[in-house]
Amino acid sequence: MPALLPGVELVRSYRRRWLAKDVVAGVVLTTLLVPQGMAYAELAGLPPITGLYTSILCLLGYAVFGPSRILVLGPDSSLGPMIAATILPLVAAGGDPARAIALASMLALLVGAIMIGAAVAKLGFIADLISRPTMTGYLNGLALTILAGQLPKLLGFHADDFPATVRAIVDGEVVPASAAVGIAGIAVILVLNRWLPKIPSVLVMVVLAIGSTWVFGLAGHGVSLVGELPRGFPPLTLPHVSFGDLGTLFAGAVGIALVSLADTISTASAFAARAGQEVHGNKEMTGIGVANVASGLFQGFPVSTSGSRTAVAEQSGARTQLTGVVGAALIVLMIVLVPGLFRNLPQPALAAIVITAALSLTDVPGTVRLWRQRRSEFLLSIAALLGVALLGVLPGIAIAVGLSILNVFRHAWRPYSAVLGKVDGLDGYHDVSSYPEARRLPGLVLYRYDAPLFFANAKTFRDEIRHLARERPQWIVVAAEPMTDVDTTAAGILAELGTDLAEHDTKLVFAELKDPVRRKIAKYGLETVFGPDSIFPTIDDAVDAYRAHTGAR
């Protein structure tokens, strides 16, 4: 039971001296959870109250099933556009909030089911499907998408897309008071984050924005306000959606689950490293999955880990998930007792919260560093960025994953290879392109191929061996230690290559084959093609055998 329910084990091992710190951290965290929850709900195309429902349930679900002691889950800026891209095309014309909530809740249930199923199947490694360069490009593109989508709310008008936004700005539809509130809100958050990072910048901005509504009568100047939130806690609800919508929702859920997992694993690893703890990918998947299911059953939407909220909890002294439980309890009290607390909060202030969160997603220095360090990975990053910006959020994540996989495939298809020689003063054998003075035995070629042999690169390997054979060597010794596998397609090509070389009096020899690979070669029958004297445990053994056979020095 403790392994399945980390929260139960935490209760058993809880120490009284942690209580005050957890409670204080929970209070501080709540000041961030409420405005961000409402802002990210609107980013996802949902009513602000759903962001609070989501925050409550995901915090409670992860507190029981999540393995990390301080990780904070909740509505996230990186998932908002993905949720909107999935559900808004399915919402009836005119926008039905009840239908949008039902679709978002079902999306959360599907994300949770995918996460839990993947955890049971021990598929935690899928978080590695997105490489850092493509993830950087994806997040940069996502930030641009968020910025473009939030400009109308920030400036006080309505627009369906970016060209319409530009036309509205050119036509003078900007509401000056809205623009002033939104731009000032962005400035307050950025300045405080930069110069006074310990002060809760979002809370300060929200308080100032509400105060401005009273002082300047912003509602009379065309500024939209959040208004009174629904009172009370939502009942347990199984969302009702049509069967025809499930395919679209499932496709979106897969992308959301992948991004959420990658974000959670990276965030959990960063904070666990500080505490000297380990991250268990499959347990994290279970915790996130349960959090999403809990959210979906109470009119919520998909959630992920938040690095910024987790950092706030850590800096405030959080010791355990009780911090999140305190935050959830305080949000419940707010919506039950004082639902009108944020009724005078300007909508542009929520847009300012989202935009500053989007800015934190960008990594311009990292992109510049890729340009300087490795142009191919820079191009992958830019391709992912353009995929999101031009084709949309969901196609963008598919492009990011596809590019990552293709990049791995490219490296395996055209791996590094080298001819080796002996270098005075160095042990072993080394690349002659790096050490031109390396000595080689006459008639012997030592060749290393840095990849497993499989259907995609076996012909490349064959062509390089044939190129080396033009020198008419007596032996070609393959330093096979990097070869972690040989598939059946490669085995057939190796058999043809061995026979072809033998006809030209060149012997193909293998050294340092790993035991599993050697067993596969034996199973394929290749040892009968090359002969038992063509496989050696080390390169030195192969060289000594060549010397004994030819007398070369």
Side-chain angles (χ1 to χ4, degrees):
M1 182 65 72
L4 180 62
L5 300 176
V8 174
E9 178 62 23
L10 177 60
V11 171
R12 293 173 179 172
S13 61
Y14 195 85
R15 299 178 184 177
R16 185 174 297 178
R17 67 175 183 271
W18 295 343
L19 181 60
K21 293 183 178 180
D22 279 340
V23 171
V24 170
V27 173
V28 174
L29 183 62
T30 305
T31 64
L32 189 63
L33 290 171
V34 172
Q36 282 192 343
M38 293 192 295
Y40 297 159
E42 294 206 335
L43 177 63
L46 298 164
I49 189 63
T50 60
L52 302 185
Y53 298 158
T54 300
S55 299
I56 295 167
L57 273 303
C58 74
L59 288 172
L60 296 177
Y62 190 83
V64 178
F65 287 88
S68 172
R69 293 211 163 194
I70 66 166
L71 213 59
V72 178
L73 268 64
D76 188 68
S77 59
S78 63
L79 298 189
M82 300 182 72
I83 298 169
T86 303
I87 68 171
L88 292 186
L90 301 176
V91 177
D96 180 358
R99 176 165 165 75
I101 292 172
L103 290 168
S105 298
M106 180 57 73
L107 188 62
L109 293 178
L110 291 173
V111 171
I114 291 170
M115 288 285 196
I116 295 172
V120 172
K122 300 188 182 303
L123 299 178
F125 65 89
I126 63 174
D128 300 328
L129 284 178
I130 308 181
S131 66
R132 182 177 294 275
T134 49
M135 191 64 176
T136 298
Y138 170 76
L139 292 176
N140 286 338
L142 191 62
L144 289 177
T145 301
I146 293 173
L147 289 172
Q150 290 297 304
L151 277 178
K153 185 186 295 184
L154 186 81
L155 302 178
F157 57 82
H158 175 76
D160 294 326
D161 51 35
F162 186 68
T165 299
V166 174
R167 288 195 298 270
I169 294 173
V170 172
D171 293 342
E173 296 181 17
V174 175
V175 177
S178 293
V181 170
I183 294 172
I186 294 173
V188 168
I189 294 175
L190 294 180
V191 169
L192 290 180
N193 285 345
R194 176 67 179 86
W195 300 108
L196 298 169
K198 292 186 178 181
I199 293 179
S201 57
V202 172
L203 176 62
V204 171
M205 188 276 290
V206 166
V207 171
L208 291 175
I210 293 175
S212 299
T213 300
W214 289 339
V215 173
F216 300 107
L218 295 180
H221 292 81
V223 178
S224 299
L225 304 179
V226 170
E228 188 95 4
L229 296 176
R231 181 185 294 272
F233 194 74
L236 173 66
T237 305
L238 186 63
H240 175 71
V241 300
S242 66
F243 183 79
D245 294 334
L246 290 179
T248 301
L249 291 174
F250 183 79
V254 171
I256 290 171
L258 183 59
V259 171
S260 177
L261 179 61
D263 189 27
T264 298
I265 294 298
S266 61
T267 303
S269 299
F271 285 94
R274 302 181 191 180
Q277 300 171 352
E278 294 184 359
V279 173
H280 302 283
N282 294 313
K283 291 182 180 180
E284 288 293 353
M285 292 175 80
T286 300
I288 304 169
V290 171
N292 275 283
V293 170
S295 173
L297 292 175
F298 289 88
Q299 300 182 25
F301 50 87
V303 297
S304 180
T305 302
S306 168
S308 61
R309 291 189 287 268
T310 303
V312 167
E314 183 188 52
Q315 292 167 5
S316 302
R319 291 292 180 269
T320 69
Q321 285 296 328
L322 181 60
T323 295
V325 174
V326 171
L330 291 176
I331 297 174
V332 170
L333 290 176
M334 189 204 79
I335 61 177
V336 170
L337 301 179
V338 283
L341 185 63
F342 290 93
R343 64 177 178 272
N344 290 321
L345 177 62
Q347 290 283 359
L350 292 181
I353 295 172
V354 174
I355 288 174
T356 52
L359 293 176
S360 70
L361 295 176
T362 62
D363 188 4
V364 176
T367 305
V368 173
R369 189 162 54 250
L370 286 174
W371 169 261
R372 294 173 179 171
Q373 294 175 348
R374 191 159 185 166
R375 298 290 172 83
S376 61
E377 294 195 347
F378 169 80
L379 293 176
L380 285 174
S381 180
I382 296 301
L385 184 156
L386 294 176
V388 176
L390 300 179
L391 300 180
V393 176
L394 294 178
I397 188 60
I399 290 172
V401 173
L403 289 174
S404 295
I405 295 173
L406 286 175
N407 194 35
V408 173
F409 192 78
R410 181 180 66 87
H411 287 299
W413 176 48
R414 290 286 184 183
Y416 187 77
S417 61
V419 174
L420 308 178
K422 194 73 173 176
V423 180
D424 292 335
L426 294 177
D427 293 333
Y429 299 86
H430 302 274
D431 188 346
V432 297
S433 62
S434 299
Y435 297 91
E437 73 280 9
R439 294 181 286 109
R440 300 169 57 190
L441 285 172
L444 175 68
V445 176
L446 299 176
Y447 174 70
R448 191 185 70 226
Y449 192 75
D450 293 345
L453 276 182
F454 66 112
F455 66 93
N457 65 13
K459 292 182 179 180
T460 303
F461 174 82
R462 177 198 63 191
D463 294 342
E464 293 190 12
I465 292 292
R466 284 178 174 173
H467 178 76
L468 295 173
R470 294 176 184 174
E471 302 177 12
R472 299 297 181 186
Q474 296 184 53
W475 283 22
I476 297 178
V477 177
V478 179
E481 193 273 338
M483 289 185 182
T484 56
D485 191 22
V486 175
D487 72 1
T488 55
T489 302
I493 290 176
L494 283 178
E496 296 173 4
L497 181 62
T499 301
D500 182 50
L501 293 177
E503 292 176 355
H504 295 83
D505 298 321
T506 296
K507 183 176 183 178
L508 186 61
V509 175
F510 293 87
E512 299 183 337
L513 276 172
K514 297 180 183 297
D515 289 342
V517 179
R518 182 165 183 172
R519 286 194 291 269
K520 288 182 180 179
I521 285 179
K523 190 174 182 179
Y524 297 150
L526 291 180
E527 287 188 339
T528 60
V529 175
F530 298 117
D533 58 344
S534 297
I535 298 177
F536 296 90
T538 68
I539 298 177
D540 283 329
D541 290 333
V543 171
D544 291 343
Y546 176 75
R547 282 175 168 165
H549 180 72
T550 63
R553 293 291 182 269

